[in-house]
């Protein structure tokens, strides 16, 4: 007994975790990517993917698939960054970049956080209206305050927060899986949608929105903090083991999120393409149309998934705001004040009666413009052996990530030119 106690006391945190058994030892490595994945199925995705399917059928299937593959690469890099350096991305930017550049990075990151909260709170408010008839402004306040309950789980340790978020993600997956099976989606048309093509400026705007809703700048920041704060590695061997676990984590979590995003588009394409019932360019229209084309259960499942998505993603978004402020400025702001700052724009939109779905789509375009500010530093840092050690990028990984960054910047530049040129 004394020998066992001494052995346990000398075990590293990773060894102690793996000593719980083969299955539990592997499960303990999973979690951060599931927190990040919730942001990839936030209400902004509901709006952009449903609008894409309703307007263009299966045309933009390829955008959803490519964006999800890009997200897997990006989240793997940012998870690796936190694991290898023991720093979050904002902390590394503060330490490694000139002060003026760091301040610009902070400002745009705060704008990204506000755009994120705009989508999440509005989506949750719409869900409360669809389910219970609660007006949008009170609904937004309810969603904004309910996020505190989820965030309070962090006081019990990272695991409780991760498990609850993963369960909420599971609810969303199940709801859309059931609706997809009942929708009568055309597999042949969906496969044809894998061929890259666009149709006019509006499809480019939606493609940028899908990209902004899928590759989320704020979780590029937060994922590095999630892996930084978890299980410390005692040496390079343990660091490799932890990274293998993080790759599996990203693959599982982002596959689930990608399946949900694809299901959103396929359901809308099958139910609303060609002017189907309900006016599917709005979340309310999607809800009504699903009730008419699939059934009441489908409409209810959509609304529940939207509510869960808004609640879970706004909790993750608020945590991301803390990471951004602490990392870029080395300052902590009281959670209530932090929440009010990012919540206010959403409440203003709801209060003055702007079209919530249009606001959601535009918020995702704003997010797409924030991607390069997060992605380029990730690529630059993860290619440096002095920072990453044995987890430094393979040259092919750096090349692929650089290509992603170039494509994102090019798409945003083209979109801006199209909007300005009219």
């Amino acid at each position: 007994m004394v020998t066992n106690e001494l052995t346990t006391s000398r075990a590293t945190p990773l060894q102690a975790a793996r000593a719980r058994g083969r299955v539990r030892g592997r499960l303990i490595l999973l979690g951060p990517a599931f927190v990040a994945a919730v942001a990839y199925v936030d209400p902004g995705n509901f709006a952009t993917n449903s609008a894409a399917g309703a307007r263009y059928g299966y045309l933009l299937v390829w955008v959803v698939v490519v964006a999800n593959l890009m997200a897997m690469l990006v989240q793997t890099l940012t998870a690796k960054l936190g694991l290898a350096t023991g720093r979050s991305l904002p902390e590394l930017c503060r330490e490694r970049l000139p002060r003026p550049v760091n301040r610009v990075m902070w400002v745009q990151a705060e704008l990204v956080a506000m755009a994120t909260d705009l989508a999440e709170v509005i989506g949750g408010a719409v869900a409360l209206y669809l389910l219970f008839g609660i007006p949008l402004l009170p609904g937004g306040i309810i969603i904004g305050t309910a996020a505190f309950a989820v965030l309070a789980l962090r006081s019990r340790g990272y695991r409780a927060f991760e498990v609850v978020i993963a369960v909420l993600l599971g609810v969303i997956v199940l709801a859309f899986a059931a609706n997809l099976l009942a929708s009568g989606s055309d597999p042949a048309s969906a496969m044809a949608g894998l061929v890259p093509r666009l149709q006019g400026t509006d499809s480019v705007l939606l493609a940028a929105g899908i990209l902004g809703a899928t590759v989320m700048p704020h979780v590029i920041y937060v994922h590095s903090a999630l892996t930084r704060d978890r299980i410390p590695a005692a040496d390079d061997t343990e660091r490799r083991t932890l990274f293998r676990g993080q790759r599996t984590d990203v693959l599982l979590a982002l596959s689930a999120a990608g399946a949900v995003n694809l299901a959103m588009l396929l359901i809308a394409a099958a139910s609303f393409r060609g002017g189907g019932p309900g006016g599917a360019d709005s979340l309310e229209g999607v809800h009504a149309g699903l009730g008419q084309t699939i059934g009441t259960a489908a409409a209810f499942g959509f609304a529940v998934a939207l509510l869960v998505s808004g609640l879970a993603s706004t909790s993750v978004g608020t945590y991301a705001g803390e990471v951004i402020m602490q990392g870029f400025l080395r300052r902590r702001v009281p959670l209530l004040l932090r929440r009010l700052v990012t919540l206010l724009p959403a409440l203003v939109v709801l209060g003055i009666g702007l079209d919530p779905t249009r606001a959601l789509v535009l918020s995702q375009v704003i997010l797409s413009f924030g991607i390069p500010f997060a992605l380029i530093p990730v690529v630059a840092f993860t290619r440096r052996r002095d920072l990453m050690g044995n987890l430094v990028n393979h040259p092919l990984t750096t090349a692929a990530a650089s290509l992603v960054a170039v494509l994102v910047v090019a798409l945003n530049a083209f979109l801006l030119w199209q909007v300005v040129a009219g």
Side-chain angles (χ1 to χ4, degrees):
M1 178 65 71
V2 174
T3 302
N4 288 340
E5 288 178 355
L6 288 173
T7 301
T8 301
S9 66
R10 293 171 181 171
T12 67
L14 178 59
Q15 290 170 341
R18 301 181 78 176
R20 298 180 181 183
R22 185 174 181 181
V23 175
R24 292 185 66 187
R26 290 183 177 179
L27 288 177
I28 200 68
L29 300 180
L30 308 181
F34 284 85
V35 175
V38 164
Y40 287 88
V41 290
D42 79 348
N45 297 79
F46 283 66
T48 53
N49 291 325
S50 295
R55 294 181 194 176
Y56 298 102
Y58 301 95
L59 177 73
L60 299 180
V61 165
W62 69 274
V63 178
V64 175
V65 173
V66 169
N68 196 66
L69 293 174
M70 290 167 55
M72 287 184 176
L73 174 60
V74 170
Q75 295 307 140
T76 300
L77 291 184
T78 190
K80 181 170 68 170
L81 182 67
L83 180 62
T85 65
R87 299 283 191 275
S88 69
L89 176 59
E91 287 173 331
L92 285 169
C93 289
R94 186 192 71 232
E95 295 172 1
R96 302 280 173 167
L97 299 178
R99 185 170 182 177
V101 174
N102 183 67
R103 291 301 173 128
V104 171
M105 293 281 290
W106 168 67
V107 170
Q108 66 81 31
E110 292 290 355
L111 293 176
V112 161
M114 290 181 184
T116 300
D117 226 21
L118 180 70
E120 294 157 352
V121 173
I122 288 177
V126 170
L128 288 175
Y129 172 76
L130 295 176
L131 288 169
F132 308 110
I134 298 175
L136 293 180
L137 182 57
I141 295 173
I142 291 172
I143 292 296
T145 55
F148 283 107
V150 179
L151 285 169
L153 293 170
R154 288 173 48 214
S155 64
R156 302 169 122 188
Y158 65 83
R159 200 59 181 166
F161 182 63
E162 290 174 354
V163 169
V164 169
I165 293 295
V167 169
L168 294 177
L169 177 61
V171 172
I172 299 170
V173 171
L174 290 175
F176 276 98
N179 282 1
L180 180 61
L181 290 174
S183 68
S185 178
D186 181 5
S189 297
M191 292 296 294
L194 292 172
V195 179
R197 61 193 189 280
L198 295 166
Q199 290 180 3
T201 303
D202 285 343
S203 68
V204 176
L205 180 65
L206 269 176
I210 291 171
L211 183 62
T214 304
V215 183
M216 300 289 281
H218 73 291
V219 290
I220 296 178
Y221 296 119
V222 80
H223 200 168
S224 56
L226 290 168
T227 56
R228 171 203 64 186
D229 293 336
R230 231 163 167 273
I231 302 175
D235 52 35
D236 285 348
T237 300
E238 287 199 354
R239 198 167 286 110
R240 291 191 190 95
T241 299
L242 289 170
F243 180 53
R244 285 195 295 270
Q246 290 308 307
R247 284 191 301 191
T248 301
D249 193 30
V250 169
L251 179 62
L252 294 175
L254 270 296
S255 293
V260 170
N261 282 318
L262 189 58
M264 291 176 188
L265 188 147
L266 297 180
I267 291 168
S271 303
F272 308 111
R273 178 63 172 152
D281 277 358
S282 69
L283 293 174
E284 298 92 331
V286 174
H287 177 264
L290 289 176
Q292 295 178 47
T293 58
I294 303 178
T296 304
F300 177 77
F302 174 85
V304 169
L306 182 61
L307 177 61
V308 171
S309 168
L311 177 60
S313 56
T314 195
S315 302
V316 175
T318 302
Y319 176 53
E322 293 181 33
V323 171
I324 288 168
M325 178 72 76
Q326 181 185 357
F328 281 115
L329 301 184
R330 197 179 292 173
R331 294 179 182 175
R332 286 186 178 273
V333 175
L335 182 59
L336 178 59
L337 178 59
R338 172 82 249 173
R339 191 76 193 96
L340 291 175
V341 169
T342 55
L343 182 61
L344 184 59
L347 296 183
V348 169
V349 169
L350 294 174
I352 64 180
L354 293 179
D355 176 25
T357 303
R358 182 63 176 171
L360 282 172
V361 173
L362 290 178
S363 74
Q364 304 313 299
V365 175
I366 293 173
L367 291 178
S368 74
F369 281 95
I371 294 170
F373 290 94
L375 181 55
I376 291 174
V378 167
V379 177
F381 289 145
T382 54
R383 66 184 292 272
R384 291 179 53 174
R385 185 170 295 276
D386 61 319
L387 283 176
M388 301 297 294
N390 65 317
L391 293 184
V392 66
N393 286 350
H394 188 281
L396 290 178
T397 302
T398 299
S402 300
L403 178 60
V404 168
V406 169
L407 288 174
V408 170
V409 173
L411 175 61
N412 290 333
F414 175 72
L415 175 61
L416 181 62
W417 179 80
Q418 287 288 317
V419 171
V420 172

